Amino acid sequence: MNFRTPDNIIRWLGPSVIIGIGTLFIVGSPRGQILVCSTTENCIATWVGALSGWAALFGALLTVAVMREQLAEQKRQTDHLMGNAEPEIYATGTAYEEDNEWYPAIGITVINRNRRPLEVKKLTAGIDEKLKFGVRQVEHRGEVKRAYFPRSFRNTGVSQVLDGKEDGAAAERCVILCNIYRDEKIFDIDARDIERWNEYDYSVELECILKGSDARTILLSTRGKVQF
Protein backbone atom coordinates (compact mmCIF):
# COMPACT_ATOMS: atom_id res chain seq x y z
CA MET A 1 0.00 0.00 0.00
CA ASN A 2 1.35 3.42 -0.96
CA PHE A 3 0.99 6.02 1.80
CA ARG A 4 1.22 9.63 0.64
CA THR A 5 1.13 12.66 2.90
CA PRO A 6 -1.61 15.12 1.85
CA ASP A 7 -0.39 18.29 0.13
CA ASN A 8 -2.02 20.58 2.69
CA ILE A 9 0.04 18.95 5.46
CA ILE A 10 3.27 19.13 3.47
CA ARG A 11 2.63 22.82 2.76
CA TRP A 12 2.53 23.72 6.44
CA LEU A 13 5.01 21.14 7.72
CA GLY A 14 8.15 23.11 6.85
CA PRO A 15 7.10 26.45 8.43
CA SER A 16 5.77 24.60 11.51
CA VAL A 17 9.09 22.80 12.03
CA ILE A 18 11.05 26.07 11.66
CA ILE A 19 8.79 27.89 14.13
CA GLY A 20 9.02 24.98 16.59
CA ILE A 21 12.82 24.86 16.45
CA GLY A 22 13.03 28.63 16.86
CA THR A 23 10.73 28.55 19.88
CA LEU A 24 12.73 25.76 21.51
CA PHE A 25 15.96 27.65 20.88
CA ILE A 26 14.64 30.80 22.56
CA VAL A 27 12.81 29.21 25.49
CA GLY A 28 14.94 26.16 26.18
CA SER A 29 18.43 27.39 25.42
CA PRO A 30 20.31 29.80 27.74
CA ARG A 31 22.21 31.14 24.74
CA GLY A 32 18.93 31.83 22.93
CA GLN A 33 17.49 33.63 25.96
CA ILE A 34 20.63 35.76 26.27
CA LEU A 35 20.51 36.61 22.56
CA VAL A 36 16.82 37.49 22.43
CA CYS A 37 16.08 38.54 26.02
CA SER A 38 19.42 39.87 27.25
CA THR A 39 17.94 43.00 28.86
CA THR A 40 14.51 41.62 29.73
CA GLU A 41 13.53 40.05 33.04
CA ASN A 42 10.38 38.34 31.78
CA CYS A 43 11.16 37.33 28.24
CA ILE A 44 7.92 35.51 27.45
CA ALA A 45 5.70 38.32 28.76
CA THR A 46 7.66 40.90 26.79
CA TRP A 47 7.40 38.95 23.54
CA VAL A 48 3.71 38.24 24.06
CA GLY A 49 3.11 41.96 24.60
CA ALA A 50 5.05 42.85 21.46
CA LEU A 51 3.25 40.26 19.37
CA SER A 52 -0.14 41.43 20.66
CA GLY A 53 0.70 44.91 19.38
CA TRP A 54 1.52 43.56 15.93
CA ALA A 55 -1.66 41.46 15.99
CA ALA A 56 -3.69 44.58 16.80
CA LEU A 57 -2.04 46.43 13.90
CA PHE A 58 -2.78 43.54 11.53
CA GLY A 59 -6.41 43.45 12.70
CA ALA A 60 -6.76 47.20 12.13
CA LEU A 61 -5.32 46.97 8.61
CA LEU A 62 -7.63 44.04 7.82
CA THR A 63 -10.62 46.05 9.08
CA VAL A 64 -9.66 49.02 6.89
CA ALA A 65 -9.35 46.76 3.83
CA VAL A 66 -12.77 45.20 4.47
CA MET A 67 -14.36 48.63 4.98
CA ARG A 68 -12.85 49.94 1.74
CA GLU A 69 -14.31 46.99 -0.16
CA GLN A 70 -17.71 47.53 1.46
CA LEU A 71 -17.65 51.25 0.58
CA ALA A 72 -16.66 50.46 -3.01
CA GLU A 73 -19.50 47.94 -3.31
CA GLN A 74 -21.93 50.45 -1.80
CA LYS A 75 -20.79 53.07 -4.33
CA ARG A 76 -21.30 50.61 -7.20
CA GLN A 77 -24.83 49.87 -6.00
CA THR A 78 -25.60 53.58 -5.59
CA ASP A 79 -24.24 54.37 -9.06
CA HIS A 80 -26.39 51.57 -10.48
CA LEU A 81 -29.53 52.94 -8.81
CA MET A 82 -28.75 56.55 -9.80
CA GLY A 83 -27.92 55.65 -13.40
CA ASN A 84 -24.21 56.44 -13.07
CA ALA A 85 -23.00 52.90 -13.70
CA GLU A 86 -20.32 52.42 -16.32
CA PRO A 87 -21.32 50.78 -19.61
CA GLU A 88 -20.47 47.09 -19.93
CA ILE A 89 -18.73 45.10 -22.65
CA TYR A 90 -18.14 41.42 -23.29
CA ALA A 91 -17.10 39.41 -26.34
CA THR A 92 -17.41 35.83 -27.56
CA GLY A 93 -15.77 33.94 -30.40
CA THR A 94 -18.02 32.71 -33.20
CA ALA A 95 -18.10 31.89 -36.92
CA TYR A 96 -20.54 32.37 -39.78
CA GLU A 97 -21.09 31.03 -43.30
CA GLU A 98 -21.44 33.12 -46.42
CA ASP A 99 -21.33 31.91 -50.02
CA ASN A 100 -20.18 28.45 -48.88
CA GLU A 101 -17.22 29.99 -47.05
CA TRP A 102 -16.73 30.03 -43.28
CA TYR A 103 -15.30 33.03 -41.45
CA PRO A 104 -14.16 33.30 -37.83
CA ALA A 105 -15.56 36.30 -36.00
CA ILE A 106 -15.90 38.02 -32.66
CA GLY A 107 -19.28 39.12 -31.32
CA ILE A 108 -18.93 42.21 -29.07
CA THR A 109 -21.88 43.21 -26.89
CA VAL A 110 -22.04 46.71 -25.41
CA ILE A 111 -24.66 47.52 -22.74
CA ASN A 112 -25.28 51.11 -21.65
CA ARG A 113 -26.34 51.12 -17.98
CA ASN A 114 -25.61 54.83 -17.65
CA ARG A 115 -28.40 57.42 -17.70
CA ARG A 116 -26.53 59.38 -20.37
CA PRO A 117 -26.45 58.36 -24.05
CA LEU A 118 -23.39 56.41 -25.15
CA GLU A 119 -21.83 56.79 -28.58
CA VAL A 120 -19.70 53.83 -29.61
CA LYS A 121 -17.22 55.34 -32.04
CA LYS A 122 -14.53 52.93 -33.17
CA LEU A 123 -12.80 49.62 -32.56
CA THR A 124 -9.17 49.16 -31.60
CA ALA A 125 -6.89 46.27 -30.54
CA GLY A 126 -6.95 42.71 -31.90
CA ILE A 127 -5.03 39.46 -31.67
CA ASP A 128 -1.51 40.49 -32.73
CA GLU A 129 0.26 42.62 -35.31
CA LYS A 130 -0.96 40.50 -38.24
CA LEU A 131 -4.40 39.38 -37.01
CA LYS A 132 -6.77 42.28 -36.43
CA PHE A 133 -10.51 42.92 -36.16
CA GLY A 134 -12.74 44.74 -38.59
CA VAL A 135 -16.41 45.64 -38.15
CA ARG A 136 -18.76 43.58 -40.32
CA GLN A 137 -22.10 44.68 -38.92
CA VAL A 138 -23.80 46.34 -35.94
CA GLU A 139 -27.13 45.05 -34.59
CA HIS A 140 -29.27 47.46 -32.57
CA ARG A 141 -32.98 47.20 -31.71
CA GLY A 142 -33.36 44.30 -34.12
CA GLU A 143 -31.93 46.24 -37.07
CA VAL A 144 -28.64 45.28 -38.69
CA LYS A 145 -26.31 47.90 -40.15
CA ARG A 146 -23.64 46.37 -42.38
CA ALA A 147 -20.27 47.86 -43.14
CA TYR A 148 -19.37 48.67 -46.73
CA PHE A 149 -17.33 45.99 -48.54
CA PRO A 150 -16.14 44.11 -45.44
CA ARG A 151 -14.40 41.51 -47.60
CA SER A 152 -12.24 44.14 -49.23
CA PHE A 153 -11.66 46.70 -46.48
CA ARG A 154 -11.09 46.46 -42.75
CA ASN A 155 -13.50 48.93 -41.18
CA THR A 156 -12.98 50.05 -37.56
CA GLY A 157 -15.80 52.58 -37.31
CA VAL A 158 -18.95 51.69 -35.34
CA SER A 159 -20.84 55.00 -34.96
CA GLN A 160 -23.71 53.62 -32.89
CA VAL A 161 -25.55 55.61 -30.20
CA LEU A 162 -27.20 53.81 -27.27
CA ASP A 163 -29.82 55.78 -25.35
CA GLY A 164 -29.33 56.35 -21.63
CA LYS A 165 -31.00 53.97 -19.21
CA GLU A 166 -34.37 55.05 -17.82
CA ASP A 167 -35.84 53.89 -14.52
CA GLY A 168 -37.67 50.59 -14.91
CA ALA A 169 -36.51 50.12 -18.51
CA ALA A 170 -34.00 47.63 -19.85
CA ALA A 171 -30.56 48.97 -20.68
CA GLU A 172 -29.93 49.48 -24.39
CA ARG A 173 -27.36 47.30 -26.08
CA CYS A 174 -25.80 46.64 -29.44
CA VAL A 175 -23.92 43.65 -30.84
CA ILE A 176 -20.90 44.30 -33.07
CA LEU A 177 -19.87 41.39 -35.29
CA CYS A 178 -16.21 41.64 -36.29
CA ASN A 179 -14.31 39.76 -38.96
CA ILE A 180 -10.71 38.72 -38.45
CA TYR A 181 -8.18 40.02 -40.95
CA ARG A 182 -4.68 38.74 -41.63
CA ASP A 183 -2.39 41.35 -43.16
CA GLU A 184 -5.48 43.48 -43.88
CA LYS A 185 -7.21 40.66 -45.79
CA ILE A 186 -10.29 38.87 -44.48
CA PHE A 187 -9.50 35.50 -42.97
CA ASP A 188 -11.55 32.37 -43.78
CA ILE A 189 -11.39 28.88 -42.28
CA ASP A 190 -11.96 25.27 -43.26
CA ALA A 191 -14.88 24.15 -41.09
CA ARG A 192 -14.19 20.50 -42.00
CA ASP A 193 -10.77 20.48 -40.33
CA ILE A 194 -11.55 21.68 -36.82
CA GLU A 195 -8.79 19.55 -35.27
CA ARG A 196 -6.17 21.79 -36.86
CA TRP A 197 -7.60 25.00 -35.44
CA ASN A 198 -5.50 26.98 -32.98
CA GLU A 199 -6.56 28.99 -29.95
CA TYR A 200 -5.65 32.68 -29.83
CA ASP A 201 -5.85 35.26 -27.07
CA TYR A 202 -7.50 38.50 -28.13
CA SER A 203 -8.20 41.90 -26.64
CA VAL A 204 -10.97 44.28 -27.68
CA GLU A 205 -11.11 48.00 -27.03
CA LEU A 206 -13.86 50.40 -28.02
CA GLU A 207 -13.53 54.17 -27.98
CA CYS A 208 -16.82 55.66 -26.75
CA ILE A 209 -18.27 58.99 -25.64
CA LEU A 210 -20.68 59.43 -22.73
CA LYS A 211 -22.75 62.32 -23.97
CA GLY A 212 -24.18 65.18 -21.91
CA SER A 213 -23.14 68.57 -20.60
CA ASP A 214 -19.94 67.02 -19.23
CA ALA A 215 -19.30 64.63 -22.12
CA ARG A 216 -16.21 62.49 -21.74
CA THR A 217 -14.38 59.85 -23.73
CA ILE A 218 -14.15 56.37 -22.21
CA LEU A 219 -12.50 53.15 -23.32
CA LEU A 220 -14.35 49.85 -22.94
CA SER A 221 -12.12 46.79 -23.06
CA THR A 222 -12.37 43.03 -22.65
CA ARG A 223 -10.26 39.94 -23.32
CA GLY A 224 -10.93 36.36 -24.31
CA LYS A 225 -9.95 33.41 -26.51
CA VAL A 226 -11.01 32.45 -30.04
CA GLN A 227 -10.36 29.32 -32.08
CA PHE A 228 -9.84 29.10 -35.83
Side-chain angles (χ1 to χ4, degrees):
M1 184 178 294
N2 185 19
F3 292 95
R4 186 173 182 271
T5 305
D7 292 338
N8 59 339
I9 296 179
I10 293 295
R11 189 181 300 114
W12 290 101
L13 184 59
S16 300
V17 170
I18 294 174
I19 293 174
I21 294 175
T23 303
L24 289 175
F25 175 76
I26 295 173
V27 176
S29 171
R31 182 176 297 179
Q33 293 180 5
I34 293 173
L35 180 64
V36 180
C37 311
S38 58
T39 60
T40 305
E41 294 182 0
N42 194 335
C43 178
I44 297 178
T46 302
W47 276 90
V48 169
L51 291 176
S52 65
W54 283 104
L57 176 61
F58 177 76
L61 292 176
L62 181 61
T63 301
V64 171
V66 172
M67 290 181 63
R68 287 186 60 183
E69 182 62 28
Q70 290 177 346
L71 290 174
E73 179 61 27
Q74 184 178 358
K75 183 179 184 302
R76 286 192 292 266
Q77 293 178 0
T78 302
D79 289 342
H80 182 78
L81 292 175
M82 298 298 294
N84 292 324
E86 290 294 313
E88 298 177 8
I89 179 176
Y90 63 88
T92 55
T94 183
Y96 67 91
E97 182 185 12
E98 185 177 77
D99 297 335
N100 296 323
E101 296 285 347
W102 281 89
Y103 299 91
I106 299 293
I108 307 169
T109 301
V110 180
I111 306 173
N112 184 21
R113 300 193 185 281
N114 199 284
R115 70 179 187 278
R116 294 182 293 177
L118 176 73
E119 180 182 359
V120 184
K121 292 186 66 66
K122 65 179 182 179
L123 170 74
T124 61
I127 297 175
D128 54 30
E129 290 298 323
K130 293 184 177 181
L131 295 171
K132 298 182 179 180
F133 296 139
V135 177
R136 170 180 169 78
Q137 66 184 40
V138 180
E139 182 179 351
H140 176 236
R141 296 180 181 174
E143 298 182 359
V144 176
K145 179 175 64 177
R146 295 185 181 274
Y148 293 109
F149 309 110
R151 290 191 180 185
S152 303
F153 302 100
R154 187 173 71 89
N155 177 38
T156 59
V158 179
S159 301
Q160 180 64 59
V161 177
L162 303 179
D163 291 341
K165 187 179 185 309
E166 299 181 358
D167 293 340
E172 278 213 343
R173 66 180 63 199
C174 68
V175 179
I176 307 165
L177 184 64
C178 298
N179 287 120
I180 297 175
Y181 293 77
R182 172 175 285 174
D183 296 328
E184 300 299 322
K185 296 181 180 179
I186 194 169
F187 188 78
D188 59 1
I189 54 176
D190 186 354
R192 299 167 300 179
D193 198 9
I194 299 179
E195 293 182 356
R196 298 185 61 182
W197 289 8
N198 296 316
E199 187 175 66
Y200 298 90
D201 295 317
Y202 69 83
S203 62
V204 171
E205 191 174 79
L206 290 173
E207 180 181 325
C208 307
I209 296 178
L210 271 176
K211 293 179 170 294
S213 57
D214 55 343
R216 60 186 175 94
T217 299
I218 62 172
L219 294 177
L220 302 179
S221 60
T222 185
R223 295 177 179 272
K225 297 180 181 292
V226 62
Q227 289 184 337
F228 58 86

